[in-house]
């Protein structure tokens, strides 16, 4: 039986035919899943100790930061530890997506040069890997939540849409930075400093309510601020998130995804000559 002939039409500038592009992307969803699993196995997360490290790493980080808060502040409590752990876990979903996405295109040079496929699959896979790494921490935080006696309420169901917003934001960042790294390779060296700055500027080591209004008004510039604040309100304090916070986080996530996707798709055919 003859194989169907696939014709890839070039485009020099602007966006590709979007319907055909997304149809091609959707038809490769199984490949994205398997490619992501392969990436996890390469990072030794397919083994028992690799999966244990997946849980131990964020736990150790939260323990270190909790000790730091205790030493600097002189006191702390279980709610503070819950806030620190919950927000740190969600922060690392986005940080891991950025870290994986920054070299998603440059490290896939052979695949890009030899195989025609929607290149956006590569940063999408980086976000899927980050999501796979995040899921075990949900179980760990649930256990911590029970052990330290944090409250429960039906308002915690808000965690589902907030997590969805976080994944959209992580995806937008991953797509954008993967494209930027093709043209400016130094961005991968600067990325650790960028993620660390985001860590300290976001309400992780402190709660959003504890900072002054004069400083808080600048936090609108931080895409993670309202997202992490909403996450803490829901999963730690069992309260509903503020609509203002949800709207800010949603706008940031949607804006990053649209802008990142537009820049990526409009430059995609240029990647082969840049690698």
């Amino acid at each position: 039986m003859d194989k169907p002939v696939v014709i890839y039409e070039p485009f020099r500038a602007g966006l590709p035919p979007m319907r055909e592009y997304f149809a091609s992307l959707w038809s490769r969803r199984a490949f994205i899943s398997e490619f992501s699993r392969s990436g996890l196995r390469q990072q030794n997360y397919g083994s028992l100790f690799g999966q244990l490290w997946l849980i131990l790493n964020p736990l150790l980080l939260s323990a270190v930061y909790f000790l730091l808060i205790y030493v600097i502040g002189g006191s702390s409590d279980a709610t503070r530890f819950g806030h620190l752990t919950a927000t740190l876990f969600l922060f690392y979903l986005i940080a891991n997506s950025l870290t994986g996405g920054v070299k998603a295109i440059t490290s896939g040079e052979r695949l890009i040069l030899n195989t025609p496929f929607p290149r956006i699959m590569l940063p999408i896979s980086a976000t899927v890997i980050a999501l796979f790494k995040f899921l075990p921490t949900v179980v760990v935080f649930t256990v911590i939540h029970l052990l330290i006696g944090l409250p429960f309420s039906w308002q915690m169901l808000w965690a589902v849409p907030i997590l969805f917003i976080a994944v959209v934001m992580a995806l937008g960042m991953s797509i954008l930075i993967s494209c930027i790294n093709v043209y400016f390779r130094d961005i991968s060296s600067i990325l650790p400093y960028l993620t660390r700055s985001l860590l300290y500027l976001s309400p992780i080591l402190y709660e959003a309510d504890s900072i002054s209004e004069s400083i808080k008004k600048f936090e609108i510039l931080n895409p993670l601020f309202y997202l992490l604040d909403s996450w803490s309100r829901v999963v730690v304090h069992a309260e509903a998130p503020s609509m203002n916070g949800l709207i800010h986080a949603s706008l940031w996530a949607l804006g990053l995804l649209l802008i990142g996707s537009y820049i990526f798709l409009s430059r995609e055919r240029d990647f082969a000559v840049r690698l």
Side-chain angles (χ1 to χ4, degrees):
M1 182 177 179
D2 294 336
K3 293 182 179 179
V5 176
V6 180
I7 300 175
Y8 296 93
E9 297 181 354
F11 56 94
R12 292 184 177 278
L15 297 174
M18 299 308 295
R19 180 177 293 180
E20 290 83 356
Y21 190 92
F22 283 110
S24 176
L25 184 64
W26 178 251
S27 68
R28 289 172 168 82
R29 59 191 183 281
F31 176 78
I32 293 174
S33 176
E34 190 53 41
F35 189 76
S36 305
R37 292 176 189 279
S38 172
L40 277 172
R41 286 194 290 271
Q42 285 180 355
Q43 298 174 36
N44 297 321
Y45 288 120
S47 65
L48 174 62
F49 289 108
Q51 291 178 2
L52 278 176
W53 182 245
L54 204 63
I55 296 169
L56 285 175
N57 184 42
L59 265 180
L60 289 173
L61 278 172
S62 62
V64 169
Y65 283 123
F66 184 73
L67 182 62
L68 181 67
I69 291 170
Y70 186 84
V71 169
I72 294 175
S75 64
S76 195
D77 53 32
T79 304
R80 190 73 176 275
F81 181 69
H83 165 80
L84 176 63
T85 308
T87 51
L88 201 61
F89 286 170
L90 191 66
F91 173 81
Y92 270 94
L93 165 63
I94 294 172
N96 285 333
S97 183
L98 272 170
T99 306
V102 70
K103 292 187 177 178
I105 300 299
T106 52
S107 63
E109 180 179 352
R110 290 186 178 178
L111 194 61
I112 289 173
L113 293 178
N114 294 305
T115 310
F117 66 96
R119 295 353 184 189
I120 205 169
M121 286 170 52
L122 298 176
I124 289 177
S125 295
T127 304
V128 173
I129 290 173
L131 185 60
F132 281 154
K133 290 180 178 178
F134 171 77
L135 292 178
T137 65
V138 175
V139 179
V140 173
F141 179 73
T142 304
V143 174
I144 292 174
H145 197 287
L146 289 169
L147 289 176
I148 62 180
L150 293 175
F152 283 92
S153 79
W154 66 270
Q155 303 283 9
M156 295 178 74
L157 293 174
W158 279 102
V160 176
I162 294 173
L163 179 58
F164 177 75
I165 294 170
V167 172
V168 171
M169 187 180 292
L171 180 60
M173 289 182 174
S174 178
I175 291 171
L176 180 61
I177 202 165
S178 68
C179 182
I180 293 173
N181 190 52
V182 174
Y183 298 92
F184 306 99
R185 303 298 173 92
D186 290 339
I187 194 72
S188 59
S189 302
I190 300 172
L191 184 61
Y193 300 99
L194 291 177
T195 52
R196 189 157 299 181
S197 299
L198 274 176
L199 174 68
Y200 295 142
L201 291 173
S202 303
I204 297 172
L205 303 180
Y206 52 87
E207 295 204 42
D209 294 337
S210 64
I211 63 175
S212 65
E213 290 298 324
S214 59
I215 296 177
K216 194 174 181 179
K217 63 185 179 184
F218 293 105
E219 296 297 348
I220 192 174
L221 302 175
N222 180 354
L224 303 185
F225 188 88
Y226 289 102
L227 176 72
L228 294 173
D229 179 43
S230 300
W231 181 253
S232 177
R233 286 172 186 263
V234 170
V235 302
V236 178
H237 299 283
E239 299 172 353
S242 70
M243 284 300 109
N244 181 52
L246 274 184
I247 291 171
H248 272 96
S250 301
L251 289 176
W252 263 113
L254 190 60
L256 284 167
L257 182 62
L258 290 177
I259 293 171
S261 299
Y262 175 78
I263 295 174
F264 189 100
L265 294 177
S266 63
R267 308 303 305 173
E268 182 178 333
R269 291 296 174 95
D270 193 34
F271 291 167
V273 297
R274 299 280 180 176
L275 294 175

